[in-house]
C-alpha cells in the first residue's frame, strides 16, 4: 500500500518513547503499592511541584510531537507508479509549524518587525536606488503601510489570541476539575468551590492558574506567529520561535536518555559494591575513582571527536542529515551517561552497606536466599528513593551541560537545533551595533523556565521521598504542636 508518508524511527525517538513507557509502567505499578503511592501523593499536594509538573508537561508535549518523524511522498504524474519519498525527514511539530518553517527571510529581523534589521540597496520602480530597510517576505506581509498599521494589527490579533486562550483555558479547567471530581467521588461544584478557595487537598487553584497563564501567553504567540516573526529571525532568516521550539526536544532528550544510560551502571555497580564488599568493592571503587579523576569535558571532547572521524569516514551509513545528527546526539547521551554514573554509584554503595546489616537481610541470608535475589527483592526497593531524587536533580544539570558543550563545539551536530547551538550562533552577534539580542534571549528564557521547573519538581520529590526530609517538622507544625501541648498542660493544671 502506498502511503502519503513513510514513518521514520530514529534512535533517540525509540529511546524516548521507551522511557515514556517505563514511566507509565511505574505509575501503574505505584497505584497498587501503598508505600509507593504515599510519597507521590505528597508530591501531588505540593503547590510548587504541581506548578512545575504542569509546565514540564507542556515541554514534554512539544518534545513528543517533535519525535514523531516521517518522510513525505513526492508527487508523481503517473497513476499507479511506485511512490518515492523525499529525503528530508520531518516531524509532526514541523507539520504544525509549517508557516514558521517555510516563512524564512533573507537575514536578521527584529521581533514583530515588518522590515529587515539592516539597510539594503533597493531599486525603485523608476530605476533609482536608495539605502533603506526592505520589507520582509513573511513578517507583516498583509500590511500596506507598516508604519501606521503594524501596532494596531498586532494589538488586534493579540486580543483575539487572548480571547481564544481564555476559551481554551475554560475548557481545560473544566476537564481537569471534572476528572478530579470523578476520581474523588465529589460533585463538580464542590471541587470547583474548594479549588478556588484553596481548600482542596490538591493544589488545583495553582494548577489552573498556571494553565491560565500558559494559555494567555502561548495562544496569542501562536496567533501572532502566523503573521509575524514573534521572536525575530536569525542570520540566515530562520524564525527564532521555530528554532526555540525545536530545541526543546534536544534538551529533554539529553536530560532523559542520559539517565537510561547511567542508571544500569550506577545501580548494578553501587549495590554490588555495598553488598559484596571485599575485592568486589575495591575494584568498583577503583573504577569510579579513576573515572572521576579524568576531566569530564576532556573525555567528552575526545570521544565526540573520535565519533566525528567515524561519521566522516562512513558517510554512506547515514541516508539523511537528520539520521547523522541523531546518531551524534545519541552518542553524546551515551558519553554523558558513562561519565555521570559515579556520583549515584557512591550513594548506592553507602546505602547498601547500611541495608545489608539490617535484620531482614540477615534473616534472608540465614535462610539461604541467593545474594542476587536479596539485592533485587530487599536492597533495590529500599534505595529507589535515592535513585529518583538523584536522577530528577541531575536532569537540569544535563540540560545545562548540553548548552555548554554545544557552545564550545563538542555538543550536538550543528545541523540539529538546540539551546547550545542557538547561544553559540548568537555569541558573535552580541558585538553588533545595534545589538542582535533576540536569539540569545529566546534560548535563555526557554531554557531558564525548563531548568527552573525541573529544579522545583526535584525539590518536591526530594521532600517527599527523602527519609531525612520526612522526619523534619515544619515551623508551623512545630508551633501548632507547642500550642497544643501548652493547652493540655494548662488543662491538667
Amino acid at each position: 500500500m502506498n502511503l502519503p508518508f513513510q514513518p521514520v524511527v530514529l534512535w533517540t525517538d525509540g529511546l524516548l518513547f521507551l522511557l515514556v513507557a517505563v514511566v507509565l509502567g511505574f505509575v501503574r505499578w505505584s497505584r497498587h503499592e501503598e508505600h509507593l503511592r504515599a510519597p507521590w501523593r505528597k508530591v501531588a499536594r505540593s503547590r510548587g511541584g504541581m506548578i512545575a509538573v504542569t509546565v514540564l508537561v507542556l515541554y514534554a508535549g512539544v518534545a513528543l510531537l517533535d519525535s514523531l518523524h516521517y518522510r513525505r511522498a513526492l508527487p508523481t504524474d503517473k497513476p499507479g507508479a511506485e511512490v518515492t519519498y523525499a529525503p528530508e525527514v520531518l516531524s509532526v511539530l514541523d507539520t504544525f509549524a509549517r508557516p514558521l518553517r517555510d516563512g524564512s527571510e533573507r537575514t536578521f529581523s527584529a521581533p514583530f518587525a515588518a522590515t529587515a534589521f539592516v539597510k539594503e540597496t533597493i531599486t525603485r520602480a523608476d530605476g533609482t536606488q536608495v539605502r533603506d530597510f526592505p520589507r520582509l517576505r513573511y513578517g507583516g506581509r498583509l500590511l500596506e503601510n507598516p508604519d501606521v498599521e503594524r501596532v494596531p494589527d498586532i494589538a488586534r490579533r493579540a486580543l483575539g489570541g487572548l480571547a481564544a486562550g481564555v476559551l481554551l483555558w475554560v475548557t481545560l479547567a473544566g476537564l481537569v476539575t471534572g476528572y478530579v471530581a470523578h476520581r474523588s467521588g465529589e460533585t463538580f461544584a464542590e471541587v470547583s468551590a474548594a479549588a478556588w478557595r484553596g481548600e482542596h487537598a490538591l493544589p488545583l487553584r495553582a494548577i489552573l492558574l498556571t494553565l491560565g497563564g500558559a494559555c494567555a501567553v502561548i495562544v496569542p504567540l501562536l496567533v501572532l506567529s502566523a503573521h509575524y516573526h514573534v521572536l525575530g529571525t536569525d542570520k540566515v532568516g530562520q524564525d527564532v520561535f521555530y528554532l526555540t521550539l525545536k530545541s526543546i526536544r534536544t534538551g529533554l532528550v539529553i536530560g532523559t536518555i542520559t539517565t537510561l544510560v547511567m542508571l544500569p551502571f550506577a545501580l548494578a555497580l553501587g549495590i554490588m559494591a555495598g553488598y559484596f564488599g571485599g575485592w568486589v568493592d575495591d575494584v568498583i571503587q577503583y573504577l569510579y575513582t579513576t573515572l572521576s579523576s579524568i576531566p569530564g569535558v576532556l573525555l567528552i571532547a575526545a570521544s565526540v571527536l573520535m565519533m566525528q572521524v567515524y561519521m566522516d569516514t562512513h558517510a554512506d551509513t547515514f541516508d539523511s542529515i537528520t539520521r547523522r545528527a541523531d546518531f551524534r546526539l545519541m552518542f553524546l547521551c551515551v558519553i554523558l551517561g558513562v561519565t555521570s554514573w559515579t556520583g549515584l554509584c557512591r550513594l548506592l554503595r553507602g546505602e547498601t552497606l547500611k541495608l545489608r546489616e539490617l535484620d531482614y537481610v540477615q534473616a534472608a541470608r540465614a535462610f539461604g536466599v541467593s545474594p542476587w535475589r536479596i539485592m533485587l527483592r530487599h536492597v533495590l526497593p529500599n534505595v529507589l528513593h535515592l535513585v529518583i531524587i538523584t536522577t530528577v536533580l541531575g536532569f537540569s544539570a544535563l540540560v545545562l551541560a548540553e548548552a555548554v558543550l554545544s557552545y564550545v563545539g563538542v555538543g550536538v551536530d550543528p545541523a540539529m537545533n538546540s539551546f547550545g547551538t542557538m547561544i553559540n550562533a548568537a555569541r558573535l552577534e552580541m558585538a553588533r551595533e545595534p545589538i542582535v539580542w533576540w536569539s540569545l534571549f529566546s534560548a535563555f528564557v526557554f531554557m531558564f523556565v525548563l531548568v527552573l521547573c525541573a529544579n522545583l519538581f526535584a525539590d518536591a520529590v526530594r521532600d517527599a521521598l527523602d527519609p531525612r526530609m520526612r522526619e523534619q517538622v515544619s515551623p508551623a507544625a512545630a508551633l501548632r504542636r507547642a500550642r497544643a501541648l501548652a493547652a493540655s498542660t494548662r488543662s491538667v493544671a
Side-chain angles (χ1 to χ4, degrees):
M1 184 175 65
N2 294 330
L3 296 176
F5 62 91
Q6 181 186 46
V8 176
V9 180
L10 304 178
W11 280 100
T12 53
D13 294 341
L15 292 175
L16 192 60
F17 283 104
L18 174 63
L19 184 61
V20 172
V22 170
V23 171
L24 293 178
F26 178 76
V27 171
R28 184 178 179 84
W29 177 43
S30 300
R31 292 178 61 184
H32 302 286
E33 302 290 340
E34 181 58 30
H35 70 282
L36 294 176
R37 290 178 59 188
W40 289 107
R41 197 180 296 120
K42 185 176 180 181
V43 174
R45 291 174 180 151
S46 168
R47 183 181 293 107
M50 293 311 295
I51 291 174
V53 167
T54 305
V55 178
L56 289 175
V57 167
L58 299 177
Y59 274 86
V62 174
L64 292 178
L65 288 177
D66 202 19
S67 298
L68 297 171
H69 290 94
Y70 66 95
R71 285 192 176 99
R72 291 182 299 183
L74 296 175
T76 178
D77 297 332
K78 299 179 180 180
E82 184 179 356
V83 176
T84 304
Y85 297 97
E88 183 183 16
V89 178
L90 302 174
S91 68
V92 175
L93 180 64
D94 293 325
T95 303
F96 290 150
R98 185 174 180 179
L100 301 180
R101 184 170 59 88
D102 296 340
S104 60
E105 308 293 346
R106 293 182 61 184
T107 184
F108 293 112
S109 64
F112 297 103
T115 59
F117 188 65
V118 296
K119 289 184 177 182
E120 297 180 7
T121 302
I122 302 175
T123 303
R124 293 177 175 178
D126 58 0
T128 60
Q129 294 183 339
V130 295
R131 293 283 296 175
D132 200 357
F133 299 100
R135 286 289 302 271
L136 298 178
R137 292 179 293 185
Y138 179 80
R141 64 188 182 278
L142 300 180
L143 303 178
E144 295 183 1
N145 187 357
D147 295 336
V148 177
E149 300 175 0
R150 185 170 63 92
V151 175
D153 184 66
I154 292 174
R156 178 176 58 84
R157 296 184 187 279
L159 288 176
L162 184 61
V166 171
L167 181 61
L168 176 61
W169 174 67
V170 170
T171 304
L172 293 176
L175 292 175
V176 172
T177 306
Y179 175 77
V180 173
H182 173 72
R183 295 288 300 177
S184 62
E186 302 174 275
T187 64
F188 184 88
E190 291 174 346
V191 174
S192 300
W196 290 115
R197 290 195 304 266
E199 299 174 354
H200 198 272
L202 297 175
L204 276 180
R205 183 169 64 180
I207 295 174
L208 296 180
L209 290 177
T210 304
L211 282 175
C215 292
V217 173
I218 295 174
V219 177
L221 279 178
L222 294 178
V223 172
L224 288 168
S225 65
H227 303 276
Y228 295 92
H229 298 290
V230 294
L231 295 178
T233 58
D234 62 1
K235 187 175 182 178
V236 295
Q238 289 182 300
D239 189 275
V240 174
F241 185 41
Y242 171 72
L243 297 179
T244 308
L245 292 177
K246 294 286 288 183
S247 300
I248 291 176
R249 177 185 180 271
T250 305
L252 289 179
V253 165
I254 290 288
T256 53
I257 295 183
T258 302
T259 302
L260 282 178
V261 178
M262 177 263 293
L263 278 182
F265 292 99
L267 282 173
L269 298 179
I271 294 177
M272 288 172 57
Y275 184 82
F276 289 114
W279 67 269
V280 176
D281 187 20
D282 294 338
V283 170
I284 294 175
Q285 282 193 76
Y286 178 79
L287 178 62
Y288 67 62
T289 302
T290 303
L291 189 59
S292 299
S293 64
I294 303 174
V297 175
L298 295 180
L299 182 60
I300 293 171
S303 302
V304 169
L305 291 176
M306 288 190 296
M307 180 268 302
Q308 188 65 41
V309 172
Y310 171 82
M311 293 171 60
D312 292 338
T313 55
H314 298 79
D316 297 338
T317 307
F318 311 100
D319 58 358
S320 65
I321 298 176
T322 304
R323 285 196 181 276
R324 176 188 175 94
D326 182 76
F327 179 78
R328 177 164 174 169
L329 176 62
M330 186 192 67
F331 189 83
L332 181 63
C333 292
V334 172
I335 294 300
L336 287 173
V338 170
T339 57
S340 62
W341 60 268
T342 56
L344 179 57
C345 182
R346 285 193 183 98
L347 291 175
L348 295 178
R349 173 185 173 274
E351 189 70 11
T352 306
L353 285 173
K354 181 182 70 175
L355 291 174
R356 74 175 185 178
E357 304 299 331
L358 297 182
D359 292 340
Y360 62 90
V361 176
Q362 296 294 334
R365 282 182 176 178
F367 279 105
V369 180
S370 68
W372 302 106
R373 187 174 181 84
I374 292 175
M375 287 187 285
L376 286 175
R377 295 296 300 273
H378 299 293
V379 177
L380 179 60
N382 287 283
V383 298
L384 280 181
H385 68 280
L386 288 177
V387 175
I388 296 174
I389 292 170
T390 305
T391 53
V392 174
L393 286 172
F395 173 82
S396 56
L398 291 170
V399 174
L400 295 174
E402 181 275 324
V404 173
L405 292 173
S406 297
Y407 177 77
V408 299
V410 293
V412 301
D413 192 88
M416 175 168 286
N417 298 304
S418 73
F419 295 124
T421 54
M422 289 183 65
I423 294 172
N424 188 32
R427 173 173 55 92
L428 298 177
E429 309 307 330
M430 298 297 291
R432 290 175 60 99
E433 182 59 39
I435 189 173
V436 178
W437 54 268
W438 45 87
S439 294
L440 182 63
F441 173 79
S442 303
F444 170 78
V445 169
F446 275 75
M447 187 169 61
F448 171 77
V449 174
L450 175 61
V451 173
L452 177 62
C453 292
N455 286 338
L456 290 175
F457 180 64
D459 290 340
V461 171
R462 182 192 59 194
D463 294 342
L465 296 179
D466 194 341
R468 294 171 297 179
M469 301 298 293
R470 282 182 285 180
E471 292 172 0
Q472 295 179 2
V473 181
S474 64
L479 182 60
R480 288 195 298 269
R481 290 183 184 181
R483 288 176 177 174
L485 181 60
S488 62
T489 304
R490 287 195 299 267
S491 63
V492 171

